[in-house]
Amino acid sequence: MQTVTTQTEAIETHTIAVLVDNEAGVLGRVIGLFSGRGYNIESLTVSEVDHHERLSRINIVTTGTPMVIEQIKAQLGRLVPVHRVRDLTSEGPSVQRELALVKVVSTGERRVESLRVADIFRARVVDSTNESFVFEIVGKTGKLDAFIRLMEPLGLIDVSRTGVAAIARGTDSL
Amino acid sequence: MMQERMSGAEIVLKALVDQGVEVVFGYPGGAVLPLYDAIFKQNHIRHILTRHEQAAVHAAEGYARSTGKVGVVLVTSGPGSTNAVTGLLDALLDSVPLVCLSGQVPTQLIGTDAFQEADTTGITRPCTKHNYLVKDVELLAGVMHEAFYVARTGRPGPVVVDLPKNVQVAEGPYVQAHQVKHKSYRPPVKGDAAAIEKAVDLIASAKRPVFYCGGGVVNSGPAACAALTELVRATGYPITLTLQGIGAFPGSDPQFLGMLGMHGTYEANLAMHGCDVMVAIGARFDDRVTGNVAGFAPGAEIIHVDVDAASINKNVRVDIPIIGDAGSVIADMLAAWKAKKCKPDGEALARWWRQIETWRARKCLAYAPSEAVIKPQFAIERLYAAAKDRDTYITTEVGQHQMWAAQFYRQEEPLHWMTSGGLGTMGYGFPAAIGVQLAHPDSLVACIAGEASFMMNMQEIATAAQYRLPVKVFILNNGYMGMVRQWQELLHGSRYSESHSEALPDIPKLADAFGITGMVVDRPADLDAAIARMIETPGAVLVDVRVDPAENCFPMIPSGATHDNMLLGELVGSRGPTVTEAGKGLV
């Protein structure tokens, strides 16, 4: 059959927040849903946010046509351990942040230049040897991408990123 | 108050009794021995030993489908649970409420590749509505009640409860079902009142309406089907049903257009294609129904009622979505229809019916009668004639015979028709019939089968024999995997690659070997007598009906085509469109 994805519709990027019971296998259910139905995961973060109630929050950045995004939300919503699903992209403004640890190995002018770029991006040095820095940078995904691109010719050898944490602006809660 | 404490196995049994379970279908093994010991020591629950775990699940499906209750399965760890997987996915796709209890190696051995260990919750995650691994006996009773609640509410489905052996032995507390409240699961029931009102206004204003209803109405229960029948009759509009919806509306009612979809009737598919308002209730627009979605019902405004929000706007975009239980929403629609004193546009409706009658007049199911060879359609017509005035339950296997059964065996009421639609599982029908017969010991239960499907679970003859279940297996034997053969004829130049049923058993001898009755019929003139004998013979009966091996199932919407592009049988008219190259790549 023809699927809806073959229709000519614009591909959109959405950030979806999901509140789940922090129980064994719940992340597997979410990931299995995406792989099993052919949805994309650009970024995924998960962590317990309410220890007393044993609730975890999953933030997923995904891409698809509007119809596919609606499907993703509906499919997430019918997983039994899911409490709430919110589309932070379509339901009002939100704040999105990601943290990266970026290791640069270099000496001389390149080492100095890496520090200068880090300063511009407000990245912090969290580890240092004579030949290396580990920078910590926080910001939107695009800012991190730009920083990492600039570090490439300056001795970049390792990157670790957290993925996107996101939250709605204003007084609303998940 | 002191809480009652008992072994995990006893907790499971007590929970089953409290949930109203009477029958469990299963197969023992090392990891479920404590459970089987608990079964041995009690008299409330009857255990039915099937000869394969897949058959246990299908039998539980048959039991569930024909009663509206939750079917229960019990299997051991490792191969026991992996054998159950096909049945679980079958139940998921067809929304059948099941609880499958599986044994697991003791918790301290999980992850060590222990004997008969399988990651059952991992393997069954995409094949179930939900699953549990119970590592702590303190939580067991709550999980058991929750499993039944999840299985039967909302869009019903299979739930697995994986039970490590040490948890079955350990002592824990028992809690009652009403003490358990789920933290997050809230199945929808009532539909949005404003949307229902809007839908009723649209229904009343329709010029070329059609109701398109499915298994969701059947799952909602006989009251939902009765309300649907009342609503459809109040409007005077035509209705078509999906394969799983058969029985939700009386099959002999003139407003019923027959089943729609790939092998649906000419009138049902053209009504869908030409309608201006489509009222979809408890149906999920799957590819066997829609054909090419790009050309699906081009002029229709669509109302879609479904309890599963994920079924709405999945394959086809709809105009008025209503999330809720079919029965509840239909009742609200009916109330709104009456309250608003709605009247259909009589002139437009008469014109629409005149159009539909010209489509109906094509008699799309007509086939060339024969006095020399039994036509499979004829065999089903004769079975229908013999069984329709009894309390009869029909199950089917999967393939041509299934589609002919859907076309020719009219069902007047819900819960009497059991077939594997979503997964299309060959081997479903015979064990399902066993489950139906257990639920309805005095009714006539017939499995309309093909010889190839029957062989996929024919070991269950032993189950039927052991429990003296008088199931009648009506095997339309054309010597081929008929639907595969049909596609090879139409799409692959009649190159019948591996689709011939070689080395078939002698059915009477096979039956005899298990102590049941078998017979062969190969002349049309002998068919009625054979059917009568099948029905009258006590105990299980296998009938080898030798049918025309070349017969194809029409109408047929070829893959990639739309509802207005049907292949029709030779008697009816032109052979219609051929399959496009793109269509050959589709399933």
Side-chain angles (χ1 to χ4, degrees):
Chain A
M1 62 165 282
Q2 276 199 319
T3 59
V4 291
T5 48
T6 56
Q7 292 171 2
T8 49
E9 278 189 298
I11 301 289
E12 298 177 355
T13 299
H14 283 239
T15 303
I16 297 167
V18 191
L19 196 65
V20 300
D21 277 327
N22 184 13
E23 61 178 37
V26 66
L27 187 60
R29 289 181 206 284
V30 171
I31 292 172
L33 173 66
F34 276 74
S35 61
R37 293 186 183 266
Y39 307 143
N40 300 308
I41 299 180
E42 302 280 308
S43 163
L44 183 141
T45 62
V46 54
S47 192
E48 191 171 74
V49 291
D50 185 336
H51 184 67
H52 184 65
E53 295 283 329
R54 297 192 48 73
L55 294 174
S56 285
R57 181 186 180 115
I58 300 174
N59 298 295
I60 305 164
V61 181
T62 184
T63 56
T65 61
M67 210 157 150
V68 168
I69 301 280
E70 287 306 312
Q71 254 301 291
I72 289 172
K73 289 186 280 187
Q75 293 287 354
L76 285 168
R78 76 173 187 166
L79 293 178
V80 169
V82 166
H83 287 255
R84 260 190 299 289
V85 178
R86 266 192 79 170
D87 186 337
L88 295 174
T89 304
S90 64
E91 298 173 30
S94 65
V95 184
Q96 312 212 356
R97 288 294 180 270
E98 191 178 354
L99 181 146
L101 298 172
V102 179
K103 186 177 284 185
V104 175
V105 175
S106 56
T107 54
E109 184 50 35
R110 290 207 304 161
R111 180 171 165 82
V112 177
E113 178 63 13
S114 70
L115 261 186
R116 234 187 327 257
V117 172
D119 189 45
I120 294 165
F121 278 79
R122 294 198 176 84
R124 295 199 303 138
V125 177
V126 291
D127 178 71
S128 170
T129 69
N130 286 338
E131 296 96 42
S132 69
F133 288 122
V134 175
F135 296 109
E136 174 200 279
I137 178 166
V138 178
K140 289 185 188 169
T141 297
K143 175 181 167 180
L144 270 56
D145 291 344
F147 180 70
I148 290 163
R149 209 164 43 242
L150 286 173
M151 285 298 167
E152 268 167 18
L154 303 177
L156 178 87
I157 63 155
D158 208 0
V159 179
S160 176
R161 294 172 71 151
T162 59
V164 173
I167 203 159
R169 289 183 186 273
T171 54
D172 282 1
S173 72
L174 180 58
Chain B
M1 196 180 82
M2 265 289 286
Q3 255 182 330
E4 219 181 329
R5 289 185 77 81
M6 57 186 86
S7 76
E10 288 164 341
I11 291 172
V12 169
L13 265 294
K14 189 164 168 53
L16 293 181
V17 172
D18 285 355
Q19 289 290 340
V21 175
E22 289 166 358
V23 184
V24 170
F25 301 88
Y27 202 106
V32 282
L33 285 175
L35 277 164
Y36 273 86
D37 202 38
I39 288 173
F40 190 85
K41 291 177 189 161
Q42 55 81 54
N43 286 316
H44 300 291
I45 290 185
R46 186 174 180 206
H47 180 275
I48 301 300
L49 176 71
T50 57
R51 268 45 175 189
H52 191 285
E53 289 87 350
Q54 184 196 349
V57 185
H58 294 326
E61 286 185 274
Y63 183 90
R65 280 241 121 158
S66 64
T67 59
K69 291 161 64 171
V70 178
V72 182
V73 183
L74 173 56
V75 297
T76 193
S77 65
S81 50
T82 56
N83 276 347
V85 163
T86 300
L88 292 171
L89 186 55
D90 190 89
L92 181 71
L93 285 171
D94 286 342
S95 308
V96 183
L98 293 185
V99 169
C100 176
L101 308 167
S102 56
Q104 182 54 277
V105 301
T107 47
Q108 70 273 14
L109 286 184
I110 289 177
T112 66
D113 297 330
F115 177 64
Q116 292 195 329
E117 181 185 358
D119 174 9
T120 298
T121 46
I123 290 167
T124 61
R125 199 173 287 142
C127 314
T128 53
K129 183 172 174 186
H130 194 51
N131 61 20
Y132 302 86
L133 168 60
V134 186
K135 286 181 169 174
D136 182 356
V137 71
E138 301 289 321
L139 305 174
L140 178 56
V143 167
M144 286 295 300
H145 294 310
E146 206 178 285
F148 275 85
Y149 178 64
V150 170
R152 72 169 177 262
T153 54
R155 180 174 176 181
V159 177
V160 163
V161 183
D162 202 24
L163 298 162
K165 195 172 182 180
N166 57 327
V167 173
Q168 298 168 35
V169 177
E171 284 209 340
Y174 187 76
V175 294
Q176 302 291 334
H178 65 83
Q179 294 170 275
V180 181
K181 185 166 162 50
H182 200 276
K183 281 169 73 180
S184 54
Y185 176 71
R186 300 282 179 274
V189 178
K190 291 281 287 178
D192 178 66
I196 289 171
E197 192 151 321
K198 224 172 103 188
V200 168
D201 289 340
L202 181 61
I203 293 171
S205 72
K207 309 277 182 217
R208 301 184 311 282
V210 66
F211 280 90
Y212 147 53
C213 302
V217 184
V218 176
N219 270 335
S220 189
C225 299
L228 174 71
T229 304
E230 193 184 342
L231 178 64
V232 172
R233 284 179 179 158
T235 58
Y237 293 175
I239 176 171
T240 177
L241 296 170
T242 70
L243 183 66
Q244 294 300 348
I246 286 173
F249 185 85
S252 56
D253 191 296
Q255 280 175 257
F256 180 52
L257 305 183
M259 180 179 75
L260 82 165
M262 185 173 271
H263 294 289
T265 65
Y266 190 68
E267 52 271 31
N269 285 333
L270 287 184
M272 287 288 281
H273 192 77
C275 72
D276 70 338
V277 173
M278 181 188 301
V279 190
I281 307 176
R284 61 187 178 87
F285 295 85
D286 92 313
D287 60 282
R288 282 299 183 268
V289 157
T290 61
N292 185 345
V293 286
F296 175 74
E301 281 191 88
I302 303 177
I303 298 159
H304 187 190
V305 180
D306 208 293
V307 76
D308 174 18
S311 285
I312 290 173
N313 286 328
K314 180 169 67 181
N315 302 327
V316 168
R317 204 184 291 276
V318 304
D319 301 282
I320 304 181
I322 301 171
I323 299 164
D325 173 68
S328 164
V329 175
I330 294 167
D332 289 350
M333 281 179 162
L334 197 54
W337 180 271
K338 288 175 183 165
K340 287 165 172 279
K341 297 192 167 42
C342 290
K343 283 257 177 326
D345 180 339
E347 206 175 303
L349 188 59
R351 211 165 34 240
W352 180 227
W353 270 114
R354 276 198 299 279
Q355 172 66 70
I356 289 171
E357 292 304 338
T358 65
W359 292 329
R360 209 178 232 170
R362 291 288 294 270
K363 297 200 182 303
C364 67
L365 299 179
Y367 57 92
S370 168
E371 284 177 13
V373 57
I374 299 174
K375 291 285 183 176
Q377 302 96 321
F378 180 66
I380 292 171
E381 284 186 312
R382 297 321 300 160
L383 175 66
Y384 173 69
K388 70 182 164 67
D389 294 329
R390 297 166 177 263
D391 183 30
T392 304
Y393 292 79
I394 297 291
T395 75
T396 78
E397 299 286 350
V398 169
Q400 284 181 321
H401 68 273
Q402 176 190 30
M403 293 297 107
W404 282 315
Q407 293 171 340
F408 288 90
Y409 200 106
R410 289 205 293 269
Q411 296 287 344
E412 302 302 321
E413 48 183 337
L415 307 180
H416 285 64
W417 165 253
M418 271 59 58
T419 191
S420 169
L423 195 60
T425 309
M426 291 171 70
Y428 164 90
F430 180 35
I434 287 173
V436 175
Q437 188 80 72
L438 269 155
H440 309 278
D442 301 324
S443 301
L444 173 62
V445 180
C447 169
I448 297 175
E451 80 290 345
S453 282
F454 174 66
M455 285 188 73
M456 280 214 182
N457 266 324
M458 68 176 184
Q459 78 284 347
E460 297 307 317
I461 300 171
T463 309
Q466 178 181 343
Y467 298 99
R468 301 180 197 287
L469 299 170
V471 294
K472 315 300 178 190
V473 188
F474 193 67
I475 304 168
L476 302 184
N477 179 359
N478 61 358
Y480 281 100
M481 299 159 206
M483 195 59 91
V484 175
R485 196 207 63 84
Q486 175 168 343
W487 281 51
Q488 286 172 333
E489 179 186 326
L490 297 176
L491 276 77
H492 298 279
S494 298
R495 292 179 295 280
Y496 299 126
S497 181
E498 301 295 325
S499 56
H500 189 247
S501 294
E502 295 288 349
L504 287 173
D506 178 320
I507 292 289
K509 279 186 185 164
L510 176 70
D512 196 41
F514 282 91
I516 66 165
T517 307
M519 52 181 90
V520 181
V521 56
D522 56 6
R523 292 188 339 177
D526 299 337
L527 192 57
D528 280 348
I531 291 170
R533 201 148 69 83
M534 172 187 89
I535 293 173
E536 283 153 20
T537 304
V541 181
L542 309 179
V543 189
D544 182 354
V545 188
R546 302 279 173 82
V547 299
D548 184 350
E551 192 69 19
N552 283 334
C553 185
F554 293 113
M556 177 180 180
I557 301 176
S559 294
T562 49
H563 279 173
D564 58 338
N565 271 303
M566 268 168 281
L567 290 173
L568 296 170
E570 280 164 13
L571 259 197
V572 182
S574 76
R575 267 301 169 92
T578 51
V579 179
T580 61
E581 280 305 308
K584 284 185 189 175
L586 301 170
V587 290

